Amino acid sequence: MQMLYHLFVSAIFTCVVTANSFSEHDVELTEREGSSSRSVSFGDEATHIQTRRPERCKVFPGDATWPSQEEWNRLNTSLGGVLLNPLPPAAVCYRTSPVFDTAKCDFLLANASRTTFYLDDPVTILTQWPQGNTCLASRNPTGNCTQGGFPVYVVNATSVKHVQAAVNFARNTNVRLIIKNTGHESVGRSAGAGSLSIWTHYLKGFELLADYKQPGGNYTGTAARVGAGLQVYEAFGHALRSNVTLTAASCLTVGSYGGWITGGGHSPLSSLYGLGVDQVLSLQVVTANGRAVTADPQTNRDLFFALRGGGGSTYGVVTSAIVKAHPPINLTIASFTFTLGATTSTTPGPDPTITDKGAFWKGFNAVFAFGIPTVDAGGYLWTNGIRGSNTSFTMQARVQMPGKTPTQAAEFVEPLLKTLNDLGIPVAIDTPTTQVYSAQTGGTGGGPGNGRFASRLFPRAAYEDPTLFAAAMAAVRAAVEDGYTFHGLNMAPTLQAAGFPGPTGVNPVWRDAVMHADVFDTVNMANITSRQFAAAKARLDRHMDALRAATPGGGAYINEADLSEPNWQSAFFGRNYEDLVKVKQARDPKQVFWAPTTPGSEGWAVQGQSEIPTQNGRLCRA
Ligand SMILES: Cc1cc2nc3c(=O)[nH]c(=O)nc-3n(C[C@H](O)[C@H](O)[C@H](O)COP(=O)(O)OP(=O)(O)OC[C@H]3O[C@@H](n4cnc5c(N)ncnc54)[C@H](O)[C@@H]3O)c2cc1C
Ligand SMILES: *[C@@H]1O[C@H](CO)[C@@H](O)[C@H](O)[C@H]1NC(C)=O
Ligand SMILES: *[C@@H]1O[C@H](CO)[C@@H](O)[C@H](O)[C@H]1NC(C)=O
Ligand SMILES: *[C@@H]1O[C@H](CO)[C@@H](O)[C@H](O)[C@H]1NC(C)=O
Ligand SMILES: *[C@@H]1O[C@H](CO)[C@@H](O)[C@H](O)[C@H]1NC(C)=O
Ligand SMILES: *[C@@H]1O[C@H](CO)[C@@H](O)[C@H](O)[C@H]1NC(C)=O
Ligand SMILES: *[C@@H]1O[C@H](CO)[C@@H](O)[C@H](O)[C@H]1NC(C)=O
Ligand SMILES: *[C@@H]1O[C@H](CO)[C@@H](O)[C@H](O)[C@H]1NC(C)=O
Ligand SMILES: *[C@@H]1O[C@H](CO)[C@@H](O)[C@H](O)[C@H]1NC(C)=O
Ligand SMILES: *[C@@H]1O[C@H](CO)[C@@H](O)[C@H](O)[C@H]1NC(C)=O
């Protein structure tokens, strides 16, 4: 009933509020508010700082120029009280902390990562080491808990006005500014010592736009306006109720419209509909001068280009987006696993174990070779190559076929199963599973980890070249035998799949890629010494160099990558790099926004770092 009413109404009005309206979200900072207080005045008016020589460093707590308590209080007043100064969540585990609480610490250690606790925490980042490991949860920690690379203040933004005031304040006072949405980022781009953080998590608006025409663009049809803070599971909930599909990351707690769209954004629907950047039709952005602007193919085209793949935390703060809403679709998945072990299970099934090492690695390669037919059929091949022990290895595979029935998907994987069976790997799958893509539920979970990984985008030309493919597979095998987990995602987000979205800042290598793969290290970065880190880095670099050599013309996905990626400018952004730096320089001449390995970030560096590149230090010009 609700749905019918809803569709009926959408046919009449262009825009229907289904839930989480934008009325509070859309409140902006007025000219009067801007000029009432120097510290939140707009960039085009605040002359007191513009006339000064550029500072060598961002101000840091303890500096004479660090804003006074009165100034922070005034900011809080301008913000209507949403300014927080949060302690690290694990402070409750430290006896010397004023918030020491054994029960709360036990909750962190036992249960917090099974709830939304960390996702709703203003400072948590899900990979901890970039913060400096200054306050790890532990039952009897040694040392004291310090703020480290966590921000000093956080604006819990629920409106455009909050974002504008925060940007103006940071620019006018020279305080380091960071943006955190969910904190899924893994190299520290949503952390920063001595910073003010804009926390976009509660920008959760949603509106279905039944009949949207993109200004100056090619798209007409159903779309949705989405708040920057929506997580995948929340976007899916809205999509399901609206009988549409919004493509999103596989992990249901990732932020759909913060880091995912600004860095690229892959999904199981990428071979059908392109990347996250290709979903975006228009953006609402707060720029470095504090102004709220629209970016689309007609207005602020430079921003529209750069914000679709040219990196988060660089050109402005996205507060909301208008994205394509596709028709409902099912995701059908055929899953199987096979293992090389000490004993054989001869019964055919979805997860046999074999003892023939040669057959195992031939089967392993056959699964990757099946990536090409999979992406050409609009699918997404998910794989994990894992070392169990020195003599036991496992290949996990999920052939994900959007829009196919279970029968069609079973027929589709038949040739791969035959190849494996002929090798003596008795894989036999049960009926593939199917469900409405947007019906995936479960947005809880996720706690901070402390791992490290590198990644590679594999161009089709290399993948289809028998010599290069053999070299790539040899490199993959060497890495897996050395204990790394190789996580492959075959997809083909071509320009055609993307619907010819016009110029986008995303690495052009994506358009001809057929696989993005992560190589996960087992190293625990929690208590690692500089020396251990250097050794771990050298070992991973060796494997990555072999993969790079076998994938000429490839690159790496900025959103899932190694901070120490060599030549990151071209690896992450390809031939778009120089254009992205131009947008950065034009839009953020005072360098209000900064995050490592984003366009133009070379001019600054975090001070006092050992070999481990964390965000726990003062940010100064390099
Ligand atoms: C478990 C897991 C699964 C993942 N699965 C996928 C996947 O399936 N597909 C995929 O493509 N990626 C995936 N990723 C990577 C993910 O896309 C990135 O981590 C992404 O940066 C997360 O964005 P966020 O907004 O959730 O996180 P954050 O860490 O909060 O933000 C990431 C970056 O974007 C910036 N940023 C955030 N919000 C804004 C904003 N509103 N305006 C401007 N800049 C902003 C931040 O400053 C930071 O630099 C996964 C990551 C993890 C940890
Ligand atoms: C901001 O103001 C609110 C409401 O007055 C208060 O609860 C909060 O503690 C203040 N924040 C800071 C950082 O002082
Ligand atoms: C963790 O959750 C379990 C199951 O709900 C509960 O029994 C236990 O008391 C919880 N422990 C802590 C420390 O919160
Ligand atoms: C890291 O070291 C600290 C202090 O020695 C200890 O409390 C903590 O348990 C260690 N963490 C890990 C993950 O090893
Ligand atoms: C930890 O904090 C306590 C109390 O605040 C202080 O006395 C002590 O010197 C600190 N220890 C270290 C190692 O900084
Ligand atoms: C942030 O704001 C949201 C929305 O108003 C609120 O629900 C949440 O409790 C706030 N979080 C913190 C840590 O203050
Ligand atoms: C949902 O949308 C599809 C196609 O877009 C349509 O065929 C179907 O009837 C719709 N379902 C409902 C319940 O409106
Ligand atoms: C696995 O092999 C490595 C190096 O080849 C060796 O150091 C290690 O002891 C072996 N582990 C086991 C469990 O056999
Ligand atoms: C889609 O999945 C649902 C179960 O979630 C199922 O009932 C329906 O039949 C599927 N549709 C198709 C076309 O496979
Ligand atoms: C519209 O589509 C054409 C190709 O069909 C493409 O070249 C052009 O860049 C697109 N324009 C925009 C603004 O997306």
Side-chain angles (χ1 to χ4, degrees), residues 93 102-119 137 139 444-448:
C93 298
T102 318
K104 284 185 179 160
C105 180
D106 284 348
F107 170 73
L108 287 193
L109 294 168
N111 290 339
S113 60
R114 282 188 266 144
T115 70
T116 61
F117 175 86
Y118 284 114
L119 297 161
R139 206 164 299 276
T444 58

Side-chain angles (χ1 to χ4, degrees), residues 330 404-406 434-436:
N330 272 31
K404 299 273 192 287
T405 64
T434 193
Q435 71 169 326
V436 176

